[in-house]
């Protein structure tokens, strides 16, 4: 599987954290419809159902929880790169 957009994994993690497309869409300034399309596309690319949709909101499936662990690692790596970059730009 080719990674087409790293951002989708961060958006996926936001939906998992918030349990809601509306709340997750607010962070990056996306519409709920756009975020829904991005999550549908991510599920199609991975060939897996990543969320169970219900009255309680969006809950990661077993496969979604496995992907979430990887997405969290990506987020941590991105924060590390940002910290490194900030340190390199010194005086």
């Amino acid at each position: 599987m080719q990674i087409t957009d790293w951002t989708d994994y961060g958006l996926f993690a936001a939906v998992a954290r918030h349990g809601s497309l509306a709340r997750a869409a607010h962070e990056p300034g996306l519409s709920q419809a756009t975020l829904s399309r991005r999550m549908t596309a991510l599920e199609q690319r991975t060939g897996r159902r990543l969320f169970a949709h219900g009255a309680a909101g969006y809950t990661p499936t077993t496969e979604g929880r496995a992907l979430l662990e990887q997405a969290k690692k990506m987020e941590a790596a991105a924060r590390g790169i940002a910290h490194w970059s900030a340190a390199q730009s010194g005086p």
Side-chain angles (χ1 to χ4, degrees), residues 35-49:
L35 183 54
S36 177
R37 283 192 298 273
R38 301 271 297 261
M39 292 303 96
T40 298
L42 181 60
E43 287 183 328
Q44 289 172 346
R45 280 197 312 275
T46 61
R48 292 169 171 77
R49 186 161 181 224

Side-chain angles (χ1 to χ4, degrees), residues 6-78:
W6 294 83
T7 306
D8 285 345
Y9 296 100
L11 294 173
F12 163 79
V15 173
R17 262 193 310 276
H18 293 288
S20 160
L21 286 176
R23 288 192 302 260
H26 182 71
E27 281 181 27
L30 298 174
S31 72
Q32 185 175 341
T34 297
L35 183 54
S36 177
R37 283 192 298 273
R38 301 271 297 261
M39 292 303 96
T40 298
L42 181 60
E43 287 183 328
Q44 289 172 346
R45 280 197 312 275
T46 61
R48 292 169 171 77
R49 186 161 181 224
L50 302 174
F51 291 104
H53 314 250
Y58 280 64
T59 305
T61 61
T62 300
E63 291 177 320
R65 286 190 300 275
L67 179 59
L68 181 58
E69 290 306 311
Q70 299 306 313
K72 287 178 179 178
K73 291 175 186 178
M74 289 174 68
E75 288 181 320

